[in-house]
Amino acid sequence: MVADVLGPSLEVLFCGINPGLMTEATGHHFARPGNRFWPALHLSGFTPRRFAPAEQHLLPSLGLGITNVVARPSAKASELTREELVEGGVRLTALLEEVRPKVLAVLGVSAFRTAFAVRKAQVGPQETEIAGTRVWLLPNPSGLNAHWTLAGIAEEMGRLRDSL
């Protein structure tokens, strides 16, 4: 299991769908070289430079954290069941009640829709809060998500950053 990256007074808790196999092997979130999370995080202005996955421990000092909807690793998010996503939503709600970040940024629209039964959710700020936390949906940064470019993902992260 890959540990959450948490700290006090989080501005943003980034939430992936579930760990990939490389993340599971290394213990570092978004570890696959083709994943665009780390470059997008930097290009959006959240970090002063591009961090490597092994530097994830530096994020809480910037008010940032990382978790996942589902803890079980898989090669593709499509391998997850609806039940796993719904259970993950329950776990995530409990984590938000405990950690209380200002914003939960979910990196995967379809997973959010299933986990929280919000059928028409789209990228961007959500009207619904979870456990008193604002929610913002971001594109999945996986290299498998060909619908979004690195520039587009970074732009959406930048919109979130600007909203803080």
Side-chain angles (χ1 to χ4, degrees):
M1 186 165 137
V2 180
D4 291 338
V5 176
L6 303 172
S9 306
L10 291 181
E11 290 281 320
V12 180
L13 180 58
F14 290 97
C15 181
I17 299 168
N18 74 311
L21 300 179
M22 182 78 72
T23 289
E24 175 70 9
T26 64
H28 302 124
H29 292 272
F30 305 104
R32 181 162 295 289
N35 192 293
R36 297 165 294 181
F37 176 79
W38 296 104
L41 197 65
H42 171 61
L43 291 171
S44 67
F46 271 113
T47 59
R49 62 177 173 78
R50 181 175 169 175
F51 287 2
E55 295 178 299
Q56 66 185 18
H57 64 280
L58 299 174
L59 292 179
S61 67
L62 300 173
L64 308 174
I66 304 176
T67 190
N68 287 292
V69 177
V70 174
R72 180 176 72 85
S74 66
K76 298 178 186 173
S78 61
E79 296 173 20
L80 301 175
T81 66
R82 180 184 181 288
E83 291 74 25
E84 284 179 298
L85 289 165
V86 171
E87 288 171 15
V90 172
R91 185 202 68 81
L92 187 55
T93 299
L95 180 64
L96 292 174
E97 289 171 349
E98 178 185 333
V99 178
R100 300 263 179 225
K102 286 187 181 172
V103 178
L104 173 70
V106 181
L107 297 142
V109 176
S110 296
F112 176 82
R113 288 176 181 163
T114 302
F116 294 99
V118 183
R119 289 193 323 246
K120 297 190 185 246
Q122 298 292 328
V123 167
Q126 304 303 296
E127 293 178 15
T128 310
E129 290 187 348
I130 300 172
T133 300
R134 287 175 44 211
V135 178
W136 196 290
L137 296 187
L138 294 168
N140 182 342
S142 167
L144 298 174
N145 181 4
H147 298 296
W148 285 86
T149 63
L150 171 59
I153 295 166
E155 183 178 334
E156 290 300 326
M157 282 185 174
R159 287 181 54 217
L160 165 59
R161 186 176 161 275
D162 291 346
S163 80
L164 299 172

